[in-house]
């Protein structure tokens, strides 16, 4: 098709009425399309076949420990803030079987996992979650510690990002430099625009794979007016954002105050339930368990999500080294905002705010960081890490 | 198959509803496998055929509520190589431990026509208060998958995988939506031991705490949150006075809230 050269960075326009065609093309190309849909009173990611499954006419209100869906009169498909699900559910699933073993005579035979995960296309991914995927890439695909299970799932994904048109009350991507505009890790990025009767998407090309999909649906070059409409949406979202986490010398702040009484205060409220780590799109810790059948004929090793808030997580010979809630909360926050820098060169927090919304008692990492900054002292000289401390 | 003697399994009942023993019979698909792996030597709920002890593995259901129970559990312990307490009665005292918060003699005189024939203890207590227990399997009732896991683990000399963390971890693993955050439904999940597979939240109900306190519970902080959701002290007390009322963390929180309720 003659038309604009679809180089990365090119912006085109797709009418909202062509969104179904777009989804169909992805299925036709062999992708298992996953997108946002309303289930059980929240927006989750699940299989997406039809535009009618998208959360059109829904938005949400979030606060610490509170999430409520609200009906709107609007037609927008993506006028909601992020729900509890991130891509972690698909790329780093809660339970993975690593291998099996079968008894044979006096010995045993191992059976390799050959299951091929679906080739996923994700629709509606927000900028913060793309940074989370980038963080997982660093964790799981480093040369020394590559994880084949993650690599298999991650390799062929197709990502359609959506730039946030609304700031949630608990998210703080602006201060983490991770949003609200998608800048990395997408094949196509959409900005949804409603202007009077017109409903369209400004689509930014992120990769050649993205361009190839685009060529199969109707689109036209974006005008200057359309491009600036998209910019206004993103700027408005950034302007709405209420929460912020000041990352200046955050690593030194955490490393220099491990015994500060501040930690006792947060420990009084912390349930050590682990919800924050489960909904966190970057938390990646797992445990393995071995299971045998009654007859002792087969055994298997499973890997499942674990949390630094459980006692078993830090169990060494003789007991858990982080027996108290204080030690666990400190571990979690210090890892996210300090040790992660040493380990992976970025912060472990993308500012999505899920840990705030889904904490049953509403503990707020931005407030905790602020409280520590107000009360704690930085003793060591500050060191700049990387250019920017965002994942 | 190995030719060693099959391990002998015994299933004992103390003060209980027999629901946990039923979990064993409810294994259905695996029951024949169980019977193949162990010699079911003593299980009155299932069979009148009784083989003498000693037993390799004893599953004990029920709590200790009578002077006779106190003696009988010692006999069971003597006859058992491994003793596993199963269910909320055996691990916490069960629903019948509600007596622990009142004067049992008042109940006895109200309920029975001839109270002089009743010999009962002032408190209902878990098995571990009386004899050494090798493992405790939680739940009211226990989860049959977990029971199978415990049996497999004991047969093969490994530690059972019955994680003591919160129900929340299970909820997130199975993909349930948090009923407390998304719907404002009071839920005991954050202070409750996992194992049920997060059953109630999957049906939009708050957790009832059937599996007792999780490893490091913070019921005080949870009660504060319940208060913010509009739950009164009296209701909070009632929530903790369930099947695991006598489990330490639940008992203490119930007592603390009862005191506050009395003061207000």
């Amino acid at each position: 098709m003659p038309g604009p050269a679809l180089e990365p960075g090119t912006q085109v326009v797709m009418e909202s009425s062509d969104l179904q065609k777009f989804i169909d093309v992805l299925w036709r190309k062999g992708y298992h399309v996953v997108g946002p849909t309303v289930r059980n009173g929240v927006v989750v990611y699940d299989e997406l076949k039809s535009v009618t499954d998208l959360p059109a006419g829904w938005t949400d209100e979030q606060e610490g420990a509170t999430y409520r869906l609200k009906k709107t009169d609007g037609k927008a498909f993506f006028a909601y803030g992020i729900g509890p699900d991130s891509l972690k559910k698909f790329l780093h699933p809660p339970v993975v079987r690593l291998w099996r073993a079968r008894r044979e005579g006096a010995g045993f035979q191992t059976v390799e996992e050959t299951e091929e995960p679906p080739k996923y296309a994700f629709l509606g991914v927000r900028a913060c979650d793309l940074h989370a995927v980038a963080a997982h890439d660093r964790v799981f695909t480093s040369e020394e510690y590559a994880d084949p299970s993650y690599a298999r799932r991650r390799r062929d994904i197709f990502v359609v990002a959506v730039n946030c048109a609304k700031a949630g009350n608990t998210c703080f991507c602006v201060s983490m430099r991770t949003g609200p505009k998608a800048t990395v890790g997408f094949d196509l990025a959409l900005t949804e625009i409603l202007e009077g009767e017109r409903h369209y998407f400004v689509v930014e090309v992120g990769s050649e794979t993205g361009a190839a999909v685009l060529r199969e649906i109707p689109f036209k070059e974006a005008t200057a007016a359309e491009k600036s409409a998209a910019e206004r949406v993103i700027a408005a979202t950034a302007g709405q954002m209420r929460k912020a986490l000041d990352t200046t010398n955050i690593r030194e702040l955490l490393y220099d105050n491990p015994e500060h009484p501040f930690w006792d205060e947060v420990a009084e409220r912390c349930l050590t339930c682990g919800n924050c780590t489960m909904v966190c799109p970057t938390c990646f810790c797992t445990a393995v368990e071995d299971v045998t059948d009654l007859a002792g004929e087969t055994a298997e090793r499973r890997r499942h999500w674990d949390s630094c808030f459980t006692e078993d997580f830090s169990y060494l010979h003789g007991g858990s080294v982080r027996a108290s809630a204080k030690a666990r909360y400190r571990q979690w926050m210090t890892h996210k905002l300090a040790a992660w820098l040493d380990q992976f060169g970025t912060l472990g927090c993308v500012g999505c705010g899920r840990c705030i919304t889904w904490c049953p008692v509403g503990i707020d990492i931005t407030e905790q960081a602020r409280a520590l900054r107000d009360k704690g002292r930085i003793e060591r000289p500050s060191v700049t890490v990387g250019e920017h401390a965002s994942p | 198959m190995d030719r060693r003697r099959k391990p002998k399994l015994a299933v004992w009942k103390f003060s209980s509803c027999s629901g946990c023993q039923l979990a064993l019979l409810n294994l259905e698909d695996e029951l024949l496998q169980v019977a193949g792996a162990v010699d079911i030597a003593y299980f009155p709920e299932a069979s009148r055929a009784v083989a003498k002890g000693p037993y390799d593995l004893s599953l004990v259901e029920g709590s200790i509520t009578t002077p006779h129970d106190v003696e009988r559990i010692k006999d069971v312990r003597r006859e058992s190589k491994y003793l596993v307490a199963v269910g909320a009665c055996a691990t916490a005292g069960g629903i019948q431990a509600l007596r622990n918060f009142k004067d049992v003699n008042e109940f006895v005189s109200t309920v029975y026509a001839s109270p002089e024939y009743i010999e009962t203890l002032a408190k209902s207590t878990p098995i571990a208060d009386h004899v050494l227990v090798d493992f405790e399997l939680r739940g009211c009732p226990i989860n049959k998958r977990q029971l199978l896991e415990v049996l497999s683990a004991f047969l093969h000399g490994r530690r059972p995988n019955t994680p003591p963390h919160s129900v929340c971890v299970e909820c997130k693993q199975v993909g349930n939506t948090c009923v407390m955050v998304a719907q404002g439904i009071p839920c005991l999940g954050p202070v409750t031991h996992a194992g049920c597979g997060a059953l109630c939240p999957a049906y939009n109900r708050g957790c009832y705490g059937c599996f007792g306190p999780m490893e490091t519970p913070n019921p005080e902080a949870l009660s504060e949150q319940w208060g913010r959701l509009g739950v009164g002290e009296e209701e909070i007390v009632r929530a903790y006075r369930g099947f695991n009322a006598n489990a330490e963390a639940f008992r203490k929180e119930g007592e603390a809230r009862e005191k506050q309720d009395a003061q207000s």
Side-chain angles (χ1 to χ4, degrees):
Chain A
M1 178 197 292
L6 296 175
E7 307 272 306
T10 307
Q11 292 179 65
V12 300
V13 163
M14 170 175 79
E15 296 301 322
S16 67
S17 51
D18 289 324
L19 190 57
Q20 183 64 53
K21 284 193 194 101
F22 180 67
I23 295 169
D24 294 342
V25 167
L26 291 171
W27 280 104
R28 216 161 47 231
K29 282 181 171 286
Y31 289 107
H32 185 100
V33 185
V34 166
T37 192
V38 171
R39 182 148 314 145
N40 263 330
V42 294
V43 174
V44 297
Y45 278 124
D46 209 335
E47 183 180 289
L48 186 80
K49 288 244 159 93
S50 162
V51 285
T52 56
D53 295 333
L54 289 168
W58 289 101
T59 190
D60 53 80
E61 283 172 12
Q62 302 190 35
E63 298 288 344
T66 310
Y67 177 107
R68 293 288 183 280
L69 268 189
K70 298 272 176 219
K71 203 93 186 95
T72 68
D73 299 330
K75 287 188 203 146
F77 293 113
F78 301 101
Y80 60 90
I82 48 169
D85 288 353
S86 63
L87 302 198
K88 177 164 98 171
K89 183 168 115 177
F90 303 92
L91 302 181
H92 180 47
V95 184
V96 173
R97 186 167 61 196
L98 299 177
W99 50 268
R100 281 172 293 163
R102 250 199 318 264
R103 187 185 292 282
E104 275 183 16
F108 64 90
Q109 188 80 43
T110 56
V111 186
E112 253 185 75
E113 270 314 302
T114 49
E115 175 233 4
E116 266 302 309
K119 201 170 89 169
Y120 287 117
F122 298 106
L123 176 65
V125 186
R126 305 304 170 95
C128 52
D129 282 348
L130 293 178
H131 282 272
V133 172
H136 273 179
D137 285 349
R138 284 167 188 259
V139 172
F140 290 124
T141 61
S142 74
E143 270 177 35
E144 306 134 273
Y145 308 110
D147 178 64
S149 154
Y150 178 82
R152 268 206 305 276
R153 290 178 168 77
R154 168 77 175 90
R155 198 178 48 221
D156 299 318
I157 65 169
F158 186 86
V159 174
V160 186
V162 167
N163 292 317
C164 285
K166 174 199 164 207
N169 283 333
T170 56
C171 53
F172 48 100
C173 65
V174 172
S175 62
M176 303 308 287
R177 301 178 201 92
T178 51
K181 185 179 175 6
T183 52
V184 289
F186 60 84
D187 295 290
L188 295 170
L190 317 182
T191 309
E192 184 173 31
I193 296 164
L194 285 134
E195 275 172 354
E197 288 303 296
R198 199 170 161 222
H199 185 187
Y200 65 98
F201 296 98
V202 171
V203 185
E204 184 184 338
V205 177
S207 72
E208 180 41 45
T209 326
V213 169
L214 210 47
R215 283 190 197 102
E216 299 197 23
I217 54 155
F219 69 86
K220 56 185 178 39
E221 240 174 310
T223 64
E226 287 161 342
K227 286 180 191 174
S228 69
E231 273 163 35
R232 279 199 303 276
V233 167
I234 296 160
T237 305
Q240 283 166 10
M241 201 159 285
R242 293 195 325 209
K243 281 200 190 296
L245 197 155
D246 179 1
T247 56
T248 319
N249 299 333
I250 189 85
R251 183 173 69 157
E252 292 69 31
L253 185 66
L254 284 153
Y255 280 169
D256 285 348
N257 295 284
E259 298 304 332
H260 197 282
F262 151 84
W263 298 110
D264 295 305
E265 292 164 30
V266 60
E268 273 181 32
R269 297 171 59 207
C270 178
L271 301 167
T272 62
C273 61
N275 273 303
C276 48
T277 59
M278 299 288 132
V279 294
C280 175
T282 70
C283 271
F284 57 84
C285 288
T286 53
V288 288
E289 64 179 23
D290 293 335
V291 183
T292 49
D293 70 345
L294 272 175
E297 290 301 304
T298 61
E300 62 181 57
R301 175 162 291 184
R302 296 179 194 149
R303 182 175 79 180
H304 57 82
W305 287 353
D306 200 357
S307 167
C308 49
F309 284 89
T310 72
E311 212 163 30
D312 271 354
F313 184 81
S314 69
Y315 184 91
L316 299 177
H317 174 76
S320 174
V321 297
R322 290 186 209 111
S324 66
K326 169 185 166 177
R328 293 184 213 166
Y329 189 85
R330 181 177 58 196
Q331 160 65 26
W332 178 70
M333 189 163 157
T334 308
H335 188 213
K336 284 273 169 245
L337 299 176
W340 204 295
L341 280 167
D342 295 324
Q343 223 180 339
F344 305 113
T346 65
L347 290 176
C349 173
V350 294
C352 71
R354 288 187 179 93
C355 59
I356 304 171
T357 300
W358 299 98
C359 171
V361 295
I363 296 175
D364 180 337
I365 191 172
T366 66
E367 280 171 21
Q368 296 309 315
R370 192 171 305 119
L372 187 60
R373 195 173 288 283
D374 290 346
K375 296 171 182 173
R377 274 187 21 212
I378 297 182
E379 279 150 20
R380 70 188 67 193
S382 68
V383 185
T384 315
V385 183
E387 326 95 77
H388 261 329
S390 53
Chain B
M1 268 310 285
D2 104 27
R3 283 189 229 315
R4 284 175 310 172
R5 173 183 70 82
K6 277 202 283 185
K8 280 162 84 177
L9 175 76
V11 183
W12 308 90
K13 175 183 161 68
F14 285 79
S15 288
S16 60
C17 75
S18 302
C20 292
Q21 299 185 59
L22 282 179
L24 182 54
L25 293 172
N26 277 344
L27 278 172
E28 291 172 356
D29 291 345
E30 296 85 3
L31 203 54
L32 283 175
Q33 224 192 340
V34 173
V38 298
D39 174 12
I40 301 176
Y42 179 89
F43 189 7
E45 186 94 359
S47 165
R48 275 181 296 175
V50 168
K52 275 193 180 162
Y55 307 100
D56 295 288
L57 176 61
S58 277
L59 301 177
V60 178
E61 176 202 79
S63 70
I64 303 298
T65 56
T66 67
H68 178 238
D69 287 346
V70 175
E71 293 313 311
R72 194 159 66 94
I73 190 63
K74 288 177 190 158
D75 294 340
V76 169
R77 177 70 265 190
R78 264 194 295 274
E79 295 238 61
S80 311
K81 188 173 170 199
Y82 290 112
L83 189 158
V84 175
V86 296
C89 300
T91 60
I95 191 74
Q96 59 274 26
L98 287 176
R99 71 162 72 170
N100 300 11
F101 305 94
K102 303 280 181 197
D103 179 2
V104 74
N105 291 321
E106 274 184 42
F107 291 134
V108 171
S109 57
T110 314
V111 173
Y112 297 99
S114 309
E116 62 274 20
Y117 293 115
I118 302 297
E119 252 198 326
T120 192
L121 297 170
K123 290 191 171 180
S124 169
T125 47
I127 303 301
D129 281 10
H130 302 271
V131 295
L132 177 82
V133 168
D134 295 295
F135 191 77
E136 287 190 333
L137 183 62
R138 300 281 200 86
C140 184
I142 53 170
N143 173 299
K144 64 179 191 176
R145 297 274 137 221
Q146 284 206 320
L147 177 62
L148 198 63
E149 166 62 12
V150 168
L151 291 175
S152 296
F154 272 86
L155 284 172
H156 302 296
R158 63 175 173 86
R159 194 175 90 155
N161 296 308
T162 55
H165 55 57
S166 70
V167 171
C168 303
V169 173
E170 282 192 310
C171 254
K172 291 292 186 286
Q173 286 185 350
V174 300
N176 287 344
T177 298
C178 178
V179 295
M180 200 150 79
V181 169
Q183 296 179 57
I185 298 171
C187 176
L188 283 177
V191 297
T192 300
H193 194 292
C196 63
L199 214 50
C200 292
Y203 293 92
N204 286 321
R205 305 296 297 261
C207 167
Y208 291 91
C210 306
F211 279 56
M214 51 89 93
E215 53 192 5
T216 50
N218 186 353
E220 203 182 333
L222 185 66
S223 295
E224 296 290 318
Q225 185 64 18
W226 277 35
R228 284 189 281 273
L229 295 176
V231 183
E233 299 286 351
E234 201 189 329
E235 270 180 88
I236 295 179
V237 175
R238 215 176 294 134
Y240 284 108
R241 297 272 164 88
F243 317 111
N244 289 280
N246 186 55
E248 194 187 355
F250 286 7
R251 177 172 52 76
K252 282 187 173 164
E253 185 60 11
E255 283 167 350
R257 294 289 150 180
E258 201 167 39
K259 228 177 256 172
Q260 293 212 358
D261 193 33
Q263 281 164 8
S264 63

